[in-house]
Amino acid sequence: MKVFCINFVVNFNTFFMKNLLFLILFLMPYLTLSAQSSTGGSTTKTDLDIYTKSNNPKTNRAPLRLDIEVTCDACTRTVVVTADDSLEGEVYILLDGATVDYSPVVNSAFYIPEASGQYTIEIEGSAWIATGVIPL
């Protein structure tokens, strides 16, 4: 009788542990998805068009690549511009062509007031200009 009880307890424990492990592995992706959506669901990246300031339009060169990232948060209405520290320029936030905010440094953050119209961002360096639309 003792052998039967010990065998039953061992089988029950392994059955319980296998099911618990299966349940944890099954629920893990859903837990990570919900954590990601609650922390950063409203931030979006803005695509920038980069142009060079050149007096000679006949020059055929490769497109200019700059490491500038513009992220917008629609909930808090903030725009954060990050770039390499060696990159120098000025940042303008425009609403239908009129300047709303300005920063003399590329790495900056802005608060966008609630107003109707299309917001654009313009980042101007010494030899280049980057423009993009802010999706708010």
Side-chain angles (χ1 to χ4, degrees):
M1 191 69 163
K2 286 184 179 182
V3 174
F4 176 73
C5 289
I6 293 173
N7 196 13
F8 175 75
V9 170
V10 169
N11 286 339
F12 181 75
N13 283 341
T14 57
F15 176 76
F16 177 73
M17 292 302 289
K18 285 180 183 178
N19 284 340
L20 182 66
L21 182 64
F22 175 75
L23 186 64
I24 290 172
L25 291 176
F26 182 73
L27 292 178
M28 187 65 71
Y30 296 109
L31 296 175
T32 57
L33 286 176
S34 65
Q36 287 175 356
S37 64
S38 65
T39 57
S42 64
T43 59
T44 57
K45 290 186 179 179
T46 301
D47 294 329
L48 296 175
D49 298 324
I50 301 172
Y51 306 100
T52 57
K53 294 179 184 178
S54 174
N55 293 335
N56 188 2
K58 295 184 179 186
T59 311
N60 292 327
R61 294 186 178 163
L64 187 63
R65 305 274 187 234
L66 296 174
D67 189 25
I68 302 173
E69 184 175 302
V70 178
T71 55
C72 307
D73 191 350
C75 293
T76 60
R77 299 191 64 82
T78 56
V79 176
V80 178
V81 181
T82 55
D84 190 19
D85 289 335
S86 65
L87 201 61
E88 295 180 4
E90 300 173 333
V91 181
Y92 299 93
I93 303 290
L94 307 169
L95 173 62
D96 296 328
T99 302
V100 175
D101 207 348
Y102 163 79
S103 174
V105 181
V106 175
N107 291 324
S108 54
F110 300 97
Y111 172 73
I112 306 296
E114 279 198 44
S116 60
Q118 183 176 11
Y119 285 99
T120 57
I121 186 166
E122 184 175 299
I123 307 168
E124 187 173 343
S126 60
W128 52 269
I129 296 175
T131 60
V133 177
I134 300 172
L136 289 178

